[in-house]
Amino acid sequence: MQLEAQIPGGPLETKWERHRVDLKLVNPANKRKFEIIVVGTGLAGGSASASLAELGYNVKTFCIQDSPRRAHSIAAQGGINAAKNYPNDGDSIWRLFHDTIKGGDFRARETNVYRLALVANLIIDHCVAQGIPFAREYGGLLANRSFGGAQVSRTFYARGQTGQQLLLGAYSSLMRQVGRGQVKMFPRREMLDLVLVDGQARGIVVRNLITGEIERHAAHAVVLATGGYGNVYYLSTNGMASNVTAAYRAYKRGAGFANPCFTQIHPTCIPLHGDYQSKLTLMSESLRNDGRVWVPKNPGDPRRPEDIPENERDYFLERIYPSFGNLAPRDIASRAAKRMCDAGKGVGPTGLAVYLDFADAIQRLGQAEIEARYGNLFQMYEKIVAENPYKTPMMIYPAIHYTMGGLWVDYNLMSTIPGLFVLGEANFSDHGANRLGASALMQGLADGYFVIPDTIGGYLASTRFGEVTEGHPAFQEAEADTDARVKKLLRIQGKRTVQDFHRELGHIIWEYCGMSRTDEGLTKARKLVADVRGEFWENVTIPGSQADFNQSLENAGRVADYLEFADLMLLDALARRESCGCHFNEAFQTEDNEALRDDKHMCHVAVWEYAGEGKEPLFHKEPLVFEFVQLATRSYK
Ligand SMILES: Cc1cc2nc3c(=O)[nH]c(=O)nc-3n(C[C@H](O)[C@H](O)[C@H](O)COP(=O)(O)OP(=O)(O)OC[C@H]3O[C@@H](n4cnc5c(N)ncnc54)[C@H](O)[C@@H]3O)c2cc1C
């Protein structure tokens, strides 16, 4: 496997501009001769489909949901970053770039991150032009708030519904192209295989989730924007349909998978309240702008929070990280909360929670202002927990939220398979070992609106394409494989539900590959996962048939992939002999229990190549070369 990152030369600030000029263009009249498949309609896929169709390409767009606007991106709450410096607090493109590289614990490619910071401002302009109702100041300027890992306010937001508003913008642009006939929309389809002809990605095989029919679709290039794999943990803040299937099947066809063990645990989620819960709910990071995180100083304190006096509270983030306080980045804040709970200071019925308290902010700003900033989040909390967070502090605990790992891509967002591009959360590209808040929306829209329209043109204009139709033997083979796998699942007729297996897998991965990891635990988890995987293929029960709407069958396919993919995560975690960002191996920590990187030996992207059924995957490295930033110990103190 060749890992050619295609990083352009020259000064950092002008690399992208030069690269765009160097990329070949497709003549406008020729664009209509190309078919492009886009899988996914979240912010990355929706924006890519709309932009590519606007350019004149013929686009076929696929998603699992009944409507493209139900993609998981709709759940995003807190905001999107860009260095417009409207608050005049010292922000700049360089600072956004540097915060993002540092936030990722220096495990991302600096050229990609610089481009991200650069185009972020264009995203805001584009979205304002679309009519996205970003919050505004009294004078009309767009409002900004702070997010973790930054000392400036650069997060643009639409209350706690930023993802929904941005997705409506992308969806409107997409539907305009559907109306013009430039995008053909295929909802309720699940991509189950990637089709390669002569080593190039030339199409996909999907299952029609309503009729059960298996369909073939050919194109000149395939764009995957299929989101993250956080649901491998079973309980996560992700949408229920989020999955690894499309990315994992592409991996099995030869696409390198990068840094699969980099999974983000978000510090502020509503704590788990029972064994049969199937979903966790995020409380946006924006709440840490005004909420203060604390635990009682005395372990096991039985009093209600209102009855614990000020001098008996430990505002531990403010104490340990005085410069960033409650806005310490997610990995750091999550581990600090875990340490408090491990020391017996956790609150609530399970002892696995800390307080997020708004009393000071309400006193300072008034309840109306807090309601204006976070009203929908407070309402959501009250509905779930049945406590009024304006009066009683929220209880929060870390939960799995985002995956920085993903398919490896070069600077053009192309995977190791020519013609297969990967955007948004599905790729590994920009967040290193830890993503900063409000930067996933930025990356998804940067990839879809501003990067892929240029880079895919460069590929199409410089590649020779043979004539390929859905009748090609490669499509027949992929369809037969897919059909056989579906039938195999249905034949098992065992005794345990798909959900039961998924829950067991989630427990294992959370326990051994969650906030804290050890070699012993990871090794044990590999064995446990293998046992669950073995039992799954003998004892899973899937009611219903192949030829109708069958969500157990859909989920079974996804869980089967998670059961294989989990092993890749564990292997990756074992191979990374350091702690960095979210990956905290207890053997590598400082005296203050912070992550201890090994820049000499581990400053690389870990990329895994599928080696065949039952074989250990092959390991490759993309060295990370830092020309423009200096590697430093990450400190938020
Ligand atoms: C609760 C919550 C709040 C968040 N808030 C923020 C925030 O405030 N700011 C921020 O920057 N980030 C936030 N994030 C992260 C951010 O929302 C996601 O990273 C981002 O929306 C992912 O976008 P995407 O387009 O890559 O994928 P998604 O939005 O996940 O879209 C994936 C698409 O792929 C399709 N798909 C998947 N698999 C298949 C398949 N096999 N076949 C066909 N289609 C498939 C789906 O149908 C869907 O259309 C939040 C995340 C969560 C969970």
Side-chain angles (χ1 to χ4, degrees):
M1 176 176 283
Q2 294 296 319
L3 299 174
E4 302 282 349
Q6 307 290 350
I7 298 170
L12 187 61
E13 290 81 357
T14 52
K15 275 179 196 281
W16 174 232
E17 205 42 49
R18 268 192 46 185
H19 187 63
R20 289 181 68 219
V21 173
D22 289 345
L23 284 168
K24 281 193 176 169
L25 291 174
V26 180
N27 177 313
N30 285 340
K31 288 196 175 113
R32 59 176 169 267
K33 296 182 188 156
F34 288 109
E35 299 259 1
I36 300 174
I37 283 174
V38 179
V39 189
T41 57
L43 287 173
S47 57
S49 293
S51 308
L52 295 172
E54 191 74 46
L55 285 170
Y57 296 111
N58 296 305
V59 179
K60 288 180 171 184
T61 303
F62 298 79
C63 69
I64 288 177
Q65 291 82 0
D66 57 346
S67 158
R69 76 189 157 95
R70 289 194 206 282
H72 157 71
S73 289
I74 204 157
Q77 299 175 346
I80 174 167
N81 286 332
K84 288 277 193 190
N85 195 29
Y86 288 157
N88 200 18
D89 55 359
D91 205 5
S92 64
I93 287 167
W94 182 270
R95 195 181 288 278
L96 170 56
F97 154 67
H98 194 270
D99 285 348
T100 310
I101 278 276
K102 174 183 165 191
D105 218 352
F106 303 94
R107 290 294 174 262
R109 218 184 265 149
E110 62 180 7
T111 30
N112 285 55
V113 181
Y114 190 85
R115 174 177 65 191
L116 177 65
L118 187 71
V119 303
N121 283 350
L122 303 179
I123 298 172
I124 302 301
D125 296 343
H126 187 72
C127 293
V128 168
Q130 284 175 335
I132 307 300
F134 284 123
R136 286 178 188 266
E137 303 291 359
Y138 176 72
L141 212 57
L142 298 184
N144 282 161
R145 59 186 172 197
S146 303
F147 258 62
Q151 287 179 312
V152 294
S153 291
R154 62 159 75 99
T155 303
F156 294 77
Y157 62 99
R159 275 207 175 181
Q161 309 165 348
T162 316
Q164 180 175 353
Q165 298 305 332
L166 292 171
L167 191 62
L168 287 172
Y171 168 77
S172 308
S173 306
L174 171 65
M175 294 316 281
R176 177 175 126 79
Q177 296 301 332
V178 171
R180 291 181 63 224
Q182 206 63 38
V183 172
K184 195 151 183 249
M185 188 63 229
F186 295 87
R188 285 282 189 217
R189 302 296 200 287
E190 181 165 20
M191 172 185 154
L192 294 180
D193 211 347
L194 177 75
V195 179
L196 270 64
V197 176
D198 298 331
Q200 292 171 341
R202 292 303 302 265
I204 59 173
V205 165
V206 302
R207 181 167 174 270
N208 180 324
L209 298 177
I210 304 289
T211 64
E213 202 180 326
I214 304 212
E215 302 170 2
R216 310 167 185 184
H217 296 272
H220 294 92
V222 176
V223 177
L224 290 192
T226 45
Y229 51 86
N231 281 347
V232 64
Y233 290 84
Y234 182 64
L235 284 179
S236 91
T237 62
N238 286 13
M240 297 295 277
S242 296
N243 66 87
V244 78
T245 288
Y248 191 68
R249 307 267 169 112
Y251 159 76
K252 283 180 121 176
R253 291 279 176 196
F257 209 109
N259 300 333
C261 81
F262 286 174
T263 55
Q264 176 161 85
I265 315 278
H266 195 298
T268 60
C269 302
I270 297 182
L272 183 68
H273 57 256
D275 260 2
Y276 289 94
Q277 193 171 338
S278 56
K279 179 87 189 70
L280 288 172
T281 308
L282 176 77
M283 286 286 102
S284 166
E285 181 162 310
S286 60
L287 292 168
R288 288 196 275 146
N289 269 272
D290 290 308
R292 299 179 70 196
V293 178
W294 65 274
V295 287
K297 278 188 181 161
N298 299 321
D301 194 325
R303 289 172 291 179
R304 285 194 55 79
E306 302 88 309
D307 299 331
I308 301 181
E310 201 56 29
N311 63 353
E312 291 183 45
R313 300 175 176 192
D314 180 7
Y315 292 91
F316 57 93
L317 290 179
E318 296 172 29
R319 174 174 58 79
I320 310 174
Y321 308 105
S323 307
F324 284 70
N326 294 296
L327 284 171
R330 292 173 180 181
D331 53 337
I332 294 201
S334 294
R335 279 198 291 274
K338 180 178 185 297
R339 285 202 300 274
M340 294 300 134
C341 295
D342 289 349
K345 296 178 182 177
V347 299
T350 60
L352 291 178
V354 300
Y355 291 124
L356 179 63
D357 193 336
F358 291 85
D360 280 358
I362 291 174
Q363 201 174 29
R364 192 174 70 248
L365 303 163
Q367 182 165 327
E369 178 58 27
I370 294 299
E371 209 171 321
R373 291 182 189 181
Y374 316 110
N376 67 313
L377 301 173
F378 275 54
Q379 190 191 32
M380 197 158 74
Y381 181 87
E382 187 167 3
K383 285 206 162 173
I384 294 174
V385 182
E387 272 195 337
N388 178 350
Y390 292 103
K391 296 211 157 61
T392 305
M394 287 183 182
M395 277 190 284
I396 50 158
Y397 193 67
I400 175 73
H401 176 66
Y402 181 87
T403 50
M404 281 77 64
L407 291 177
W408 183 89
V409 287
D410 65 13
Y411 189 65
N412 294 318
L413 304 183
M414 191 160 87
S415 70
T416 51
I417 298 177
L420 177 69
F421 293 80
V422 191
L423 318 184
E425 195 173 336
N427 74 26
F428 88 103
S429 72
D430 292 355
H431 308 294
N434 172 60
R435 174 176 73 79
L436 289 185
S439 58
L441 303 186
M442 170 169 76
Q443 183 223 332
L445 291 180
D447 289 359
Y449 283 135
F450 295 105
V451 181
I452 194 75
D454 285 314
T455 58
I456 208 167
Y459 170 75
L460 295 172
S462 56
T463 306
R464 284 173 156 267
F465 292 99
E467 176 72 18
V468 171
T469 66
E470 279 93 358
H472 191 283
F475 277 91
Q476 283 170 15
E477 187 209 313
E479 183 185 319
D481 284 356
T482 304
D483 191 52
R485 191 177 161 90
V486 170
K487 291 200 162 65
K488 187 173 167 191
L489 281 168
L490 283 165
R491 265 200 312 272
I492 300 170
Q493 297 290 327
K495 296 211 166 13
R496 280 181 72 187
T497 61
V498 175
Q499 201 178 22
D500 206 28
F501 281 104
H502 195 176
R503 189 185 294 119
E504 189 178 355
L505 171 69
H507 277 314
I508 299 169
I509 298 295
W510 176 251
E511 179 69 22
Y512 299 109
C513 197
M515 265 187 285
S516 196
R517 303 159 180 192
T518 63
D519 288 354
E520 197 190 5
L522 292 164
T523 309
K524 179 174 172 191
R526 287 197 73 192
K527 163 89 178 71
L528 293 174
V529 169
D531 291 347
V532 182
R533 188 166 57 238
E535 196 199 328
F536 176 89
W537 283 102
E538 286 174 3
N539 196 24
V540 72
T541 177
I542 304 166
S545 78
Q546 180 175 355
D548 54 29
F549 182 64
N550 185 343
Q551 287 193 301
S552 291
L553 179 59
E554 285 172 35
N555 287 333
R558 293 171 201 155
V559 172
D561 287 334
Y562 276 141
L563 283 164
E564 290 182 25
F565 175 71
D567 192 55
L568 197 63
M569 288 172 67
L570 297 165
L571 206 57
D572 187 48
L574 277 165
R576 190 161 279 283
R577 312 305 304 150
E578 65 171 349
S579 291
C580 59
C582 68
H583 169 68
F584 190 77
N585 183 326
E586 289 174 18
F588 308 102
Q589 55 181 310
T590 64
E591 279 178 4
D592 303 338
N593 307 111
E594 304 291 356
L596 186 62
R597 287 197 326 258
D598 177 355
D599 291 336
K600 193 160 170 221
H601 303 103
M602 291 287 135
C603 195
H604 60 250
V605 180
V607 187
W608 299 90
E609 178 182 2
Y610 184 66
E613 195 80 41
K615 293 195 182 140
E616 293 275 298
L618 305 174
F619 175 69
H620 304 268
K621 279 183 200 176
E622 178 201 337
L624 288 168
V625 180
F626 290 90
E627 278 182 81
F628 303 94
V629 294
Q630 217 180 350
L631 295 186
T633 301
R634 202 164 150 238
S635 168
Y636 293 94
K637 293 186 171 165

